[in-house]
Amino acid sequence: MRTSLRIFFLGGLTSYRALFHWLTPWILIPTFVVGPIFQLLFFAYVGRAAGVGDDTFYLIGNAVELASIPCLFAMGNTIGNERYTQTLGLLLASPARRLPLFLGRALPVVVNGFAVSFLVLVLGALVLHVSIPVAAWAPLVAVLAVCAFSCTGLGLASAALALRVRETAVLSNIIMGVLIVFCGVNVAVSALPAWMQSVAQVLPLTHGIEAARELVAGASWAAVMPLVRDEALIGVVYGAIGMAMLFFFERESRRHATLELA
Amino acid sequence: MSTLRLVAVGWWLQLKMRSRSSFDGLLSIVYPMFFATTIFFMYRENGDEAALVSAAVGASCMGVWSAVSTTASTTLQGERRQGTLELLVGSPTSFSLVIVPATVSMATIGLWSLVATLLWGRVVFGIPISFDQPLVFVVAALVLAFSLGLVGFLQAVSSVRYRSAWALGSLFEFPVWLICGFLVPLSILPDWVRPISWLLPPTWGVAAVRDAALGGNAWPDIALCLLTGAAYAVIGVVLARRLVDSARVNATLALT
């Protein structure tokens, strides 16, 4: 038990610091601060030009969605980069239990995703002069944390593919695009075609964004609780799928000796 | 004549190399289309068809900049990784004449995205795009791509000493989309932003493409797009010379 906890906390943190590769200020600030703020400003101004939505709508949608940058890319890197550092074989040959080994890598990613979302929410509110009710901040923080968790679940599933394919960054970009279009980030889910609304219901962030918007509009925590619960549940399901994929691809790569060939 | 041949052969070679990766090709077309799709939904909500058509033209140009912004910053890093940077610097040919075709080829790939986005808008969203001046539209799109290639050249040489150059490249993607009138009219941006927009070739290039598509005199904008693009190229040439000389003197060409 103690070993598993060490692998989960220390192993996860060490892997994140060693393999994410984005923790230098030269990457961190442009990617996690400046880029996200400009994404928010872009859509807020497009909304103004198109005459739809208001700044609050775009602030909430983009702040929640931008957690996906670390949640998708960091998860991909912390597993995919094992191959580049030629430690994937060593890692998978070790007797360490897989559950704490891989889930431990997800924990710093959840924290990172939450931090990006929170930062964009605060800076975006200042830049766009959006006023968020004081009472809404505490539940909003909880929603951001749940969204970062659920998106990391999706990131884990996407990262599992790093055991099979090389281009995890391309995959992460495409998944991020899907989230932007489907999850009600800049267009209300109700304005999407029916089939897209159905897809949105099984993606992370959709319920979280809706909950966050309702909170800012004055809803109570109890009122948005079902949405937050669904968001967390979706995260658990994607996380479980990701773990199952990791087990499957690991076993397949051992059987076919394809660990270094992807 | 030999210079033109060098640029043409370099451009074609780079274009072929960049077209080899199906992953990159897919990303350069699909990634901007996610944003275009979002924008089409946003404008469709508004119900103003003229605004939707104008947005479709602007959104189609976004992919050209996407194709340049990130990749241009990593051009020299890529050459360094392949071990060809020293060969390029050591050759008697001007270093700039080797790099410009590479960045222009990136913008050329972005033209696929322009066509794909217009088709996407037409087929999936039923946006009725009819080109008022088809030939001028083609000229404007080519000039836009060429000028963005020249901006990419300046970006490439500026980031030669920057190990994490790709992050710098992605940093510029949204700001340029925002302030160059791709979708947001300059008139609704803060006053202090407009002079910055005027210094950027895409501002004129996108205006030219829009004029050619929707009716209007595109030629002044085409000329300004070329002019500002040329200014970036001149700055890039001077900078390239200084940075390469510095790297040779300090023996840091391969060390950053």
Side-chain angles (χ1 to χ4, degrees):
Chain A
M1 183 64 186
R2 201 174 154 204
T3 310
S4 290
L5 283 174
R6 281 191 71 228
I7 291 172
F8 180 80
F9 285 108
L10 294 179
L13 183 63
T14 308
S15 304
Y16 176 74
R17 290 177 63 193
L19 297 168
F20 183 33
H21 286 174
W22 287 18
L23 297 180
T24 152
W26 291 102
I27 301 179
L28 196 112
I29 294 171
T31 314
F32 289 154
V33 183
V34 185
I37 290 293
F38 271 102
Q39 178 183 318
L40 164 63
L41 288 176
F42 174 72
F43 282 112
Y45 271 93
V46 171
R48 289 180 189 183
V52 290
D54 57 15
D55 288 350
T56 310
F57 180 86
Y58 297 105
L59 172 66
I60 299 297
N62 285 281
V64 176
E65 185 276 325
L66 282 159
S68 66
I69 298 179
C71 294
L72 295 173
F73 290 91
M75 269 326 297
N77 282 8
T78 48
I79 292 178
N81 279 349
E82 293 280 6
R83 181 178 293 114
Y84 291 109
T85 53
Q86 300 186 349
T87 48
L88 188 58
L90 296 172
L91 179 81
L92 297 184
S94 78
R97 289 185 61 220
R98 297 304 189 244
L99 211 59
L101 182 74
F102 290 121
L103 285 184
R105 289 160 189 243
L107 186 61
V109 175
V110 175
V111 176
N112 192 338
F114 166 75
V116 171
S117 274
F118 185 70
L119 197 69
V120 173
L121 188 66
V122 172
L123 293 179
L126 289 172
V127 173
L128 292 172
H129 305 294
V130 170
S131 168
I132 296 173
V134 177
W137 275 101
L140 255 183
V141 165
V143 169
L144 293 184
V146 172
C147 287
F149 163 78
S150 66
C151 198
T152 303
L154 178 63
L156 192 66
S158 146
L161 290 172
L163 294 184
R164 184 53 69 91
V165 300
R166 272 199 208 106
E167 305 284 351
T168 51
V170 174
L171 189 65
S172 298
N173 269 310
I174 289 175
I175 294 174
M176 209 170 89
V178 170
L179 295 178
I180 287 177
V181 175
F182 282 79
C183 295
V185 178
N186 298 296
V187 179
V189 175
S190 57
L192 298 174
W195 71 270
M196 289 179 78
Q197 292 185 31
S198 305
V199 174
Q201 298 311 312
V202 295
L203 288 174
L205 304 185
T206 306
H207 299 86
I209 290 173
E210 195 182 335
R213 286 199 177 118
E214 287 187 17
L215 283 169
V216 173
S220 67
W221 174 251
V224 300
M225 195 54 203
L227 288 169
V228 180
R229 183 201 56 213
D230 289 350
E231 183 69 40
L233 195 65
I234 286 173
V236 171
V237 171
Y238 275 104
I241 292 172
M243 285 306 301
M245 285 168 70
L246 279 166
F247 289 136
F248 174 74
F249 286 134
E250 181 188 342
R251 203 181 58 219
E252 286 295 292
S253 60
R254 282 169 186 267
R255 281 180 58 203
H256 299 291
T258 52
L259 204 56
E260 304 294 345
L261 297 180
Chain B
M1 188 52 101
S2 62
T3 302
L4 272 179
R5 187 177 172 277
L6 171 76
V7 171
V9 170
W11 170 78
W12 182 239
L13 178 73
Q14 292 282 348
L15 193 63
K16 284 202 288 186
M17 279 164 56
R18 287 175 202 287
S19 305
R20 294 292 298 168
S21 166
S22 53
F23 266 117
D24 288 349
L26 182 75
L27 188 67
S28 65
I29 290 176
V30 171
Y31 183 69
M33 269 168 41
F34 284 119
F35 293 100
T37 302
T38 304
I39 284 150
F40 293 160
F41 275 123
M42 288 169 77
Y43 275 86
R44 204 163 69 168
E45 226 176 314
N46 166 291
D48 180 349
E49 195 170 272
L52 180 61
V53 172
S54 172
V57 175
S60 69
C61 298
M62 286 164 63
V64 187
W65 174 237
S66 283
V68 175
S69 64
T70 308
T71 22
S73 303
T74 55
T75 310
L76 298 186
Q77 196 77 359
E79 297 290 351
R80 184 180 286 125
R81 213 169 19 237
Q82 292 164 26
T84 46
L85 185 58
E86 290 87 345
L87 295 174
L88 295 181
V89 170
S91 76
T93 314
S94 160
F95 184 64
S96 301
L97 286 178
V98 183
I99 302 303
V100 166
T103 54
V104 172
S105 76
M106 293 166 196
T108 312
I109 293 214
L111 287 172
W112 284 113
S113 162
L114 187 148
V115 174
T117 308
L118 285 174
L119 285 174
W120 180 256
R122 183 76 191 91
V123 175
V124 179
F125 287 83
I127 301 172
I129 301 169
S130 55
F131 301 107
D132 196 64
Q133 307 159 74
L135 274 178
V136 184
F137 179 86
V138 172
V139 172
L142 291 175
V143 167
L144 170 69
F146 181 66
S147 297
L148 284 177
L150 297 180
V151 176
F153 162 64
L154 176 61
Q155 217 178 317
V157 295
S158 309
S159 52
V160 64
R161 304 287 292 269
Y162 186 31
R163 199 193 294 267
S164 310
W166 64 267
L168 187 73
S170 7
L171 176 71
F172 290 128
E173 192 170 36
F174 277 104
V176 169
W177 281 351
L178 175 63
I179 70 170
C180 289
F182 282 81
L183 292 155
V184 179
L186 300 189
S187 55
I188 70 166
L189 293 170
D191 289 343
W192 60 268
V193 175
R194 278 177 234 166
I196 303 173
S197 308
W198 297 333
L199 295 174
L200 295 165
T203 304
W204 309 109
V206 172
V209 169
R210 193 170 271 129
D211 280 342
L214 308 177
N217 183 7
W219 294 109
D221 289 328
I222 289 175
L224 281 166
C225 183
L226 273 175
L227 194 70
T228 44
Y232 279 76
V234 171
I235 298 168
V237 169
V238 174
L239 203 63
R241 201 169 293 159
R242 280 178 176 267
L243 285 171
V244 167
D245 284 350
S246 158
R248 293 173 77 170
V249 167
N250 297 304
T252 54
L253 204 54
L255 296 180
T256 44

